[in-house]
């Protein structure tokens, strides 16, 4: 299926490029905001394999250290497209009409290690060796309403634990979270596997579990401004086609399993790892260990977005009047999953 999808997307892209007569001089300039995480891989693959160029797009990247600034950059017009985790700030901006979700980033899917629960060495030595023991511990995160806040909240609900029993410490940026857990200033953090495995391998912290084992969900999305959807639809369509081609490449390389259900990485993965390493600075072993599930067609699990908004509204993080139906645009990609019927 992946082979046929890739061939179809490539044929469409080539036809569009020929019809447009796309050249470097005529290329439409776009800016993409993201974090340098492995979950952003389709963005990087599309750039380095020339998929944007074939769609007549000239790309500039803007990289950030937390998810919320990515959303702000799109809403403010400083960038055209973004890929990152959903946050309360994102939903509030989208609910006010600034943003449209048009596709999927990664999701927490059983069998694909991505976001890890990480304990400091000090906390681990004192017995904090599983997510079930979060009560009474501190968690470093970027900010309230971040994806990390959502993940610990979903875990608390799953375990029947009072979230107030976890001391939440906003630290603004991912590097601050890493420094805090390494020094023992916080008992725990939650971060992607390519960072978590590095921390564990160098003896700086311990992985005590994986988010997908407890609360699978649609972690992030592909989004643009409402203005782009309304006034530059052709550009959005071209960007989505390039993204889908790269997502299909990623899936073929990093989402294969053997007869025993174990993940395997062949020549396709080896060909893409240098691209991902270039942008993320992660080592090949860490990339393989934490390559997340990314839908090969960029399809969303839509009900998960509705559930996230509802949880954040219950926490007072998202406005009560915000309705995902107003900002989730399913028209650019076919076959989205778990679409609410009402």
């Amino acid at each position: 299926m992946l082979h046929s999808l890739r061939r179809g997307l490539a044929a469409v892209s080539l036809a569009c490029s020929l019809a447009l007569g796309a050249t470097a001089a005529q290329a439409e300039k776009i800016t993409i905001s993201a974090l340098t995480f492995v979950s952003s891989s389709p963005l990087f693959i599309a750039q380095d394999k020339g998929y944007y160029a074939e769609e007549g797009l000239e790309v500039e990247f803007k990289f950030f250290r937390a998810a919320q600034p990515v959303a702000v950059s799109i809403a403010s017009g400083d960038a055209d497209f973004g890929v990152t985790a959903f946050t309360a700030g994102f939903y509030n901006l989208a609910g006010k009409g600034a943003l449209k979700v048009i596709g999927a980033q990664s999701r927490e899917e059983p069998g694909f290690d991505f976001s890890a629960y990480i304990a400091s060495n000090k906390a681990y030595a004192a017995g904090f060796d599983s997510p079930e023991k979060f009560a009474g511990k501190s968690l470093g995160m970027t900010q309230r309403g971040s994806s990390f806040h959502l993940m610990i909240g979903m875990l608390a609900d799953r375990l029947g634990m009072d979230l107030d029993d976890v001391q939440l410490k906003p630290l603004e940026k991912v590097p601050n979270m890493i420094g805090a857990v390494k020094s023992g200033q916080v008992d725990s953090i939650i971060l992607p596997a390519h960072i978590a495995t590095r921390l564990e391998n160098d003896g700086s912290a311990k992985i005590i579990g994986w988010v997908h084992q407890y609360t699978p969900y649609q972690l992030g999305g592909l989004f643009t401004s409402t203005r782009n959807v309304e006034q530059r639809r052709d550009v959005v369509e071209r960007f989505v086609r390039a993204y889908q081609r790269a997502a299909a490449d990623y899936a073929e390389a990093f989402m294969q399993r053997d007869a025993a259900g174990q993940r395997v990485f062949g020549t396709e993965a080896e060909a893409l790892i240098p691209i991902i390493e270039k942008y993320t600075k992660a080592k090949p072993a860490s990339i393989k260990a934490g390559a997340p599930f990314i839908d090969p067609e960029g399809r969303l699990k839509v009900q998960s977005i509705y559930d996230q908004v509802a949880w954040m509204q219950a926490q007072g993080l998202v406005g009560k009047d915000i309705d995902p139906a107003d900002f989730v645009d399913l028209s650019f990609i076919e076959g989205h999953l778990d679409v609410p019927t009402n």
Side-chain angles (χ1 to χ4, degrees):
M1 182 180 118
L2 285 174
H3 285 292
S4 61
L5 172 64
R6 291 175 65 210
R7 285 197 300 270
L9 289 169
V12 170
S13 294
L14 179 58
C16 290
S17 293
L18 291 173
L20 290 167
T23 66
Q26 299 168 325
E28 184 93 27
K29 293 183 179 180
I30 62 169
T31 302
I32 302 171
S33 290
L35 277 65
T36 53
F37 286 173
V38 177
S39 52
S40 302
S41 290
L43 297 178
F44 312 143
I45 294 167
Q47 174 73 338
D48 283 35
K49 294 190 75 171
Y51 297 161
Y52 299 129
E54 289 179 24
E55 292 288 351
L57 302 174
E58 181 182 335
V59 167
E60 175 189 355
F61 285 112
K62 287 188 176 183
F63 295 123
F64 295 90
R65 296 298 185 92
Q68 181 59 15
V70 176
V72 171
S73 72
I74 309 302
S76 68
D78 287 339
D80 298 297
F81 298 95
V83 171
T84 196
F86 293 125
T87 66
F90 175 92
Y91 289 132
N92 283 318
L93 285 170
K96 290 179 173 64
L99 303 171
K100 294 287 187 182
V101 179
I102 56 175
Q105 185 217 33
S106 59
R107 68 176 185 250
E108 293 287 354
E109 186 80 2
F112 293 86
D113 292 345
F114 182 31
S115 300
Y117 303 110
I118 304 165
S120 70
N121 287 333
K122 179 181 177 182
Y124 186 84
F128 184 29
D129 57 5
S130 76
E132 284 84 357
K133 299 179 179 180
F134 252 107
K137 306 301 188 300
S138 61
L139 174 79
M141 60 185 189
T142 49
Q143 56 193 245
R144 286 180 54 80
S146 64
S147 60
F148 310 118
H149 191 177
L150 175 64
M151 283 187 263
I152 191 63
M154 291 191 299
L155 178 68
D157 290 348
R158 169 77 169 74
L159 299 178
M161 177 178 67
D162 190 337
L163 185 55
D164 289 340
D165 289 339
V166 181
Q167 184 181 358
L168 304 179
K169 293 191 173 184
L171 299 171
E172 296 186 3
K173 299 178 181 179
V174 169
N176 297 345
M177 294 167 57
I178 295 170
V181 81
K182 289 172 71 172
S183 65
Q185 294 176 54
V186 297
D187 297 317
S188 63
I189 56 175
I190 304 171
L191 281 178
H194 71 275
I195 301 174
T197 54
R198 185 178 73 233
L199 291 172
E200 183 165 76
N201 290 340
D202 68 16
S204 298
K206 298 287 187 181
I207 295 172
I208 59 172
W210 298 94
V211 169
H212 71 78
Q213 296 171 326
Y214 295 86
T215 57
Y217 83 109
Q218 182 67 57
L219 186 143
L222 175 68
F223 52 94
T224 189
S225 65
T226 300
R227 175 182 174 276
N228 278 339
V229 169
E230 294 174 349
Q231 299 181 20
R232 303 172 74 201
R233 187 174 184 90
D234 174 66
V235 173
V236 178
E237 290 173 344
R238 284 187 271 156
F239 173 79
V240 168
R241 284 196 296 267
Y243 183 85
Q244 285 183 296
R245 287 181 68 188
D249 287 352
Y250 172 93
E252 186 170 31
F254 295 103
M255 288 164 47
Q256 304 305 310
R257 297 171 181 268
D258 61 19
Q262 299 299 309
R263 298 180 72 178
V264 293
F265 305 98
T267 56
E268 293 87 354
E270 296 304 325
L272 294 182
I273 282 174
I275 296 174
I276 299 170
E277 186 178 7
K278 175 178 133 181
Y279 289 93
T280 65
K281 309 305 180 188
K283 298 299 183 184
S286 294
I287 293 170
K288 291 178 181 178
F293 182 95
I294 296 176
D295 189 275
E297 298 174 51
R299 298 170 301 177
L300 291 158
K301 277 199 164 182
V302 183
Q303 182 62 52
S304 178
I305 295 175
Y306 282 68
D307 294 342
Q308 292 173 49
V309 170
W311 184 87
M312 290 182 174
Q313 287 172 326
Q315 301 298 312
L317 298 167
V318 168
K320 294 290 187 182
D321 59 338
I322 289 176
D323 183 351
D326 295 333
F327 60 81
V328 177
D329 188 331
L330 306 182
S331 67
F332 290 95
I333 293 173
E334 296 182 357
H336 290 284
L337 311 170
D338 297 345
V339 180
T341 56
N342 51 33

